[in-house]
């Protein structure tokens, strides 16, 4: 359910400018209500084809005007939740027309993408591949940040300048964000060291707060089996501690070899496999 709401909330705004002559839910079983099944989603003749919407997004596009008309004062996020609940309650036969239309559009999208890639130069293909990788990495970062927020990860510690900036941002000179930042940076550089020490101490206190909260949070992550979210430094310290404990136990179990005071020849033994340094041997020969 949460995934449907998240997806719906991200793309619902794209369809707000479209026609509001949507069909009612009872028409969802009629494929004719869905418009043309096969359609090219190319934005322009020169640009790459646009990825077609899924079956759920098509259903959402259809239901949004209906819900908005029924509940004029309902917020966008609540409309998305309601549509997600409706989609979840649909029978497989009711979902089938939307999913079939999405599948046909997906096949058309693949064909359009093959044609588009065939006309690209090697440099354009490399640029398109790099762009896809960047978008994929960006989506991954966003998903990771959202997941950490849902898991209650503590907020990072603030620097002395960040604390100073938060306190004086409203009164800072400048009409734009960049102007205020420049003004605050200049004020911070001109601030006497005696005043800076106050913010430095606040930053140190916030760092202690962050470390304590992170230790508690990482302990909870271990309990629920999410050690992949623990900081690497913390993982290394735990592994080092375990290794030291293993070596300590091994040293306790090791039996020390007793070296006799004199060997059978009457000469004192220096222990097994021990040799006298050459300098000492020369002195003895003299």
């Amino acid at each position: 359910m949460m995934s449907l709401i998240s997806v719906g909330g991200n793309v619902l705004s794209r369809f707000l400018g479209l026609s509001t002559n949507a069909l009612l839910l009872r028409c969802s079983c009629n494929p004719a209500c869905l418009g043309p099944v096969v359609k090219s989603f190319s934005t322009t003749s020169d640009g790459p084809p646009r990825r077609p919407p899924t079956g759920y997004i098509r259903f959402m596009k259809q239901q949004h005007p209906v819900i908005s008309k029924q509940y004029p004062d309902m917020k966008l996020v609540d409309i998305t939740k309601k549509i997600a609940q409706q989609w979840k309650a649909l029978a497989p036969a009711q979902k089938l027309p939307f999913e079939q239309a999405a599948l046909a559009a997906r096949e058309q999208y693949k064909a359009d993408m093959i044609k588009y890639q065939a006309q690209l130069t090697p440099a354009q293909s490399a640029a398109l591949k790099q762009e896809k990788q960047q978008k994929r990495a960006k989506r991954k970062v966003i998903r990771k940040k959202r997941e950490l927020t849902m898991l209650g990860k503590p907020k990072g510690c603030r620097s002395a300048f960040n604390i100073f900036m938060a306190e004086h941002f409203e009164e800072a000179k400048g009409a734009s964000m960049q102007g205020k930042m420049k003004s605050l940076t200049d004020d911070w550089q001109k601030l006497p060291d005696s005043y800076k020490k106050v913010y430095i101490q606040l930053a140190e206190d916030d760092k202690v707060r962050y470390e304590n909260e992170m230790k508690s949070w990482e302990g909870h992550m271990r309990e629920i089996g999410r050690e992949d979210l623990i900081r690497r430094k913390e993982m290394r310290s735990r592994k080092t501690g375990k290794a030291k404990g293993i070596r300590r136990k091994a040293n306790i179990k090791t039996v020390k070899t007793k070296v006799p005071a004199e060997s059978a020849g009457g000469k004192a033994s220096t222990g097994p496999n021990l040799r006298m340094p050459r300098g000492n041997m020369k002195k003895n020969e003299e």
Side-chain angles (χ1 to χ4, degrees):
M1 177 66 70
M2 289 302 297
S3 61
L4 292 178
I5 295 173
S6 176
V7 171
N10 291 334
V11 299
L12 187 56
S13 58
R14 300 178 185 177
F15 303 109
L16 296 182
L18 298 179
S19 174
T20 56
N21 297 324
L23 301 178
L24 297 176
L25 180 60
R26 63 178 180 270
C27 298
S28 62
C29 294
N30 184 3
C33 297
L34 302 176
V37 174
V38 178
K39 178 182 177 182
S40 175
F41 288 87
S42 302
T43 54
T44 63
S45 58
D46 297 330
R50 181 180 298 174
R51 189 180 297 273
T54 62
Y56 168 67
I57 299 302
R58 291 168 179 270
F59 174 78
M60 182 186 63
K61 174 184 173 181
Q62 173 185 290
Q63 288 302 109
H64 178 265
V66 179
I67 302 299
S68 299
K69 188 175 181 179
Q70 291 177 353
Y71 307 95
D73 299 330
M74 184 176 286
K75 295 181 180 179
L76 180 61
V77 64
D78 295 327
I79 293 176
T80 306
K81 289 180 180 179
K82 192 168 187 63
I83 295 175
Q85 292 171 355
Q86 289 181 345
W87 174 259
K88 188 177 180 181
L90 288 180
Q94 292 175 303
K95 292 181 180 180
L96 186 60
F98 298 97
E99 293 173 345
Q100 287 179 339
L103 181 61
R106 177 71 177 176
E107 295 300 323
Q108 182 65 45
Y109 165 77
K110 291 180 180 179
D112 292 343
M113 182 59 74
I114 293 174
K115 293 179 181 178
Y116 173 76
Q117 291 177 345
Q119 65 184 5
L120 295 178
T121 63
Q124 290 174 332
S125 298
L128 181 62
K129 184 178 180 180
Q130 184 179 5
E131 182 182 356
K132 286 184 177 180
Q133 291 175 348
Q134 291 175 350
K135 289 182 178 179
R136 194 180 298 113
K138 186 176 180 180
R139 288 196 298 267
K140 186 177 180 180
V141 170
I142 293 174
R143 286 196 299 268
K144 188 76 170 180
K145 187 176 181 180
R146 187 184 297 121
E147 181 187 22
L148 293 175
T149 301
M150 293 179 64
L151 291 173
K153 184 178 180 179
K155 293 183 179 180
C157 54
R158 298 179 297 170
S159 65
F161 173 69
N162 286 339
I163 298 174
F164 170 82
M165 181 179 61
E167 288 187 358
H168 298 86
F169 185 80
E170 295 295 334
E171 60 194 44
K173 299 177 182 179
S176 62
M177 175 73 71
Q178 293 180 349
K180 285 181 176 291
M181 290 294 296
K182 187 178 183 303
S183 176
L184 288 169
T185 303
D186 295 339
D187 293 342
W188 174 257
Q189 292 175 351
K190 297 175 183 178
L191 197 68
D193 292 341
S194 58
Y195 286 93
K196 284 185 178 181
K197 287 181 180 179
V198 177
Y199 294 100
I200 292 173
Q201 183 59 48
L202 290 174
E204 290 293 330
D205 296 341
D206 195 51
K207 185 177 180 180
V208 173
R209 183 272 314 166
Y210 173 72
E211 289 297 331
N212 292 335
E213 291 181 356
M214 280 299 297
K215 287 181 181 179
S216 177
W217 182 77
E218 288 175 342
H220 178 61
M221 291 300 103
R222 292 191 193 94
E223 292 176 357
I224 64 175
R226 292 303 306 271
E227 292 193 357
D228 58 302
L229 300 178
I230 299 175
R231 293 171 293 181
R232 293 182 179 180
K233 182 175 70 173
E234 182 70 14
M235 291 291 292
R236 284 198 299 267
S237 63
R238 284 176 60 83
K239 290 180 180 179
T240 303
K242 289 181 180 180
K244 288 182 178 179
I246 293 172
R247 287 197 297 267
R248 194 178 298 112
K249 290 180 181 180
N251 291 335
I252 293 173
K253 293 180 180 180
T254 301
V255 179
K256 296 183 179 180
T257 305
K258 295 183 180 180
V259 180
E262 293 184 356
S263 61
K267 295 182 180 179
S269 174
T270 58
N273 298 329
L274 295 179
R275 296 181 179 179
M276 185 179 294
R278 292 184 177 180
N280 294 338
M281 291 176 65
K282 291 180 179 180
K283 291 181 180 178
N284 293 336
E285 290 176 356
E286 294 175 355

